[in-house]
């Protein structure tokens, strides 16, 4: 296993930026009208290089809850195997296997995220670039330096409390339950295979 920071240090900068922009394309709405596409791309690449340098050099802050681990498994999407990434506590993974809680981390300090571990199972190694791009995106949910983290946390909690959700009809829910059941079997098989690899390496 290696830490997130170690993986970022070993990754090729331009390859990672290319992958990031392929997954999360530029939105010209984020720029002033007079800015050209070329200027926007150049500016974004500079900011992403600075962000990567930050992640590679930021002092690591240990998580108080224990050691966290990222790993990949497959989820079906329109008949295609789509990589999905989970973040779990190692102690819970050992105890619960695939029934372990999958944690969100967009509200976590980057200094803590970069100290998390990356599993060395087959799918995680295969999708390492995609995983790093996913981490980059989620860890910058409130800005590359998380400058808006605290302010947005308060705002988000208020909006979640105020949001109203309209559910499925009983007929729609019955069909959805069947889809979820079959997708769940695929996900469970993929998770079980990958978690067994991880746990075997930890023994």
């Amino acid at each position: 296993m290696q830490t997130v920071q170690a993986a970022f240090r070993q990754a090729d900068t331009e390859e990672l930026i290319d992958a990031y922009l392929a997954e999360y394309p530029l939105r010209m709405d984020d720029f002033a009208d007079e800015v050209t596409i070329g200027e926007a791309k150049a500016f974004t690449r500079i900011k992403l290089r600075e962000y990567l340098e930050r992640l590679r050099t930021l002092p690591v802050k240990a998580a108080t809850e224990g050691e966290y681990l990222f790993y990949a498994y497959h989820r079906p999407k329109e008949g295609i195997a789509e990589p999905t990434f989970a973040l779990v506590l190692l102690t819970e993974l050992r105890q619960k296997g695939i029934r372990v809680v999958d944690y969100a981390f967009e509200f976590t300090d980057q200094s803590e995220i970069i100290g998390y571990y990356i599993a060395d199972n087959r799918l995680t190694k295969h999708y390492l670039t995609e995983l790093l791009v996913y981490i980059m995106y989620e860890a910058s949910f409130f800005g590359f330096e998380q400058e808006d983290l605290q302010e947005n946390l308060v705002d988000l909690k208020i909006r979640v409390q105020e949001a109203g959700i309209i559910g499925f009809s009983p007929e729609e829910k019955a069909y959805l339950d069947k889809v979820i059941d079959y997708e769940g079997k695929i996900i469970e098989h993929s998770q079980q295979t990958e978690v067994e690899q991880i746990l075997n390496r930890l023994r």
Side-chain angles (χ1 to χ4, degrees):
M1 292 190 305
Q2 63 179 333
T3 65
V4 169
Q5 189 169 68
F8 276 124
R9 286 175 175 171
Q10 292 169 19
D12 180 88
T13 299
E14 299 309 312
E15 186 179 308
L16 210 48
I17 291 173
D18 288 342
Y20 184 95
L21 292 174
E23 184 66 23
Y24 305 106
L26 281 177
R27 291 178 50 214
M28 290 306 293
D29 291 347
D30 295 335
F31 297 90
D33 291 343
E34 63 272 12
V35 174
T36 67
I37 292 174
E39 289 169 340
K41 283 182 178 177
F43 175 80
T44 302
R45 293 187 79 88
I46 288 168
K47 296 313 261 179
L48 285 170
R49 284 188 203 104
E50 290 173 354
Y51 178 38
L52 279 170
E53 185 59 23
R54 171 182 168 80
L55 296 176
R56 288 167 173 161
T57 58
L58 200 62
V60 176
K61 176 184 170 186
T64 55
E65 301 85 1
E67 295 178 320
Y68 282 92
L69 175 81
F70 284 105
Y71 77 92
Y73 61 95
H74 277 145
R75 176 185 296 274
K77 184 177 181 182
E78 297 175 0
I80 298 171
E82 181 87 1
T84 298
F85 306 109
L87 175 65
V88 298
L89 270 169
L90 267 173
T91 52
E92 293 180 356
L93 184 68
R94 287 185 172 106
Q95 294 166 358
K96 302 177 182 177
I98 65 169
R99 303 290 176 229
V100 68
V101 173
D102 181 0
Y103 291 93
F105 62 98
E106 64 267 30
F107 305 119
T108 307
D109 285 340
Q110 291 168 354
S111 57
E112 187 175 313
I113 296 167
I114 58 171
Y116 294 167
Y117 289 100
I118 294 176
D120 56 2
N121 61 305
R122 179 181 63 93
L123 286 183
T124 306
K125 288 193 281 190
H126 181 76
Y127 293 115
L128 182 59
T129 298
E130 290 86 346
L131 171 58
L132 293 178
V133 165
Y134 166 69
I135 293 170
M136 287 172 67
Y137 182 77
E138 293 295 316
S140 64
F141 193 78
F142 295 109
F144 288 151
E145 296 183 13
Q146 294 185 314
E147 56 273 11
D148 300 324
L149 178 59
Q150 294 306 318
E151 178 185 333
N152 279 285
L153 274 174
V154 174
D155 182 55
L156 188 62
K157 285 178 183 175
I158 293 169
R159 284 189 284 128
V160 166
Q161 290 170 354
E162 293 175 348
I165 299 171
I166 299 173
F168 288 104
S169 70
E171 295 81 7
E172 291 170 335
K173 182 71 166 58
Y175 285 118
L176 182 63
D177 287 344
K178 290 180 181 178
V179 171
I180 290 170
D181 181 54
Y182 283 112
E183 286 190 349
K185 288 176 181 175
I186 295 169
I187 293 166
E188 183 173 337
H189 173 76
S190 181
Q191 278 188 293
Q192 190 66 51
T193 303
E194 301 309 313
V195 167
E196 282 175 6
Q197 285 184 31
I198 294 166
L199 293 177
N200 286 337
R201 290 191 166 115
L202 290 173
R203 290 186 183 115

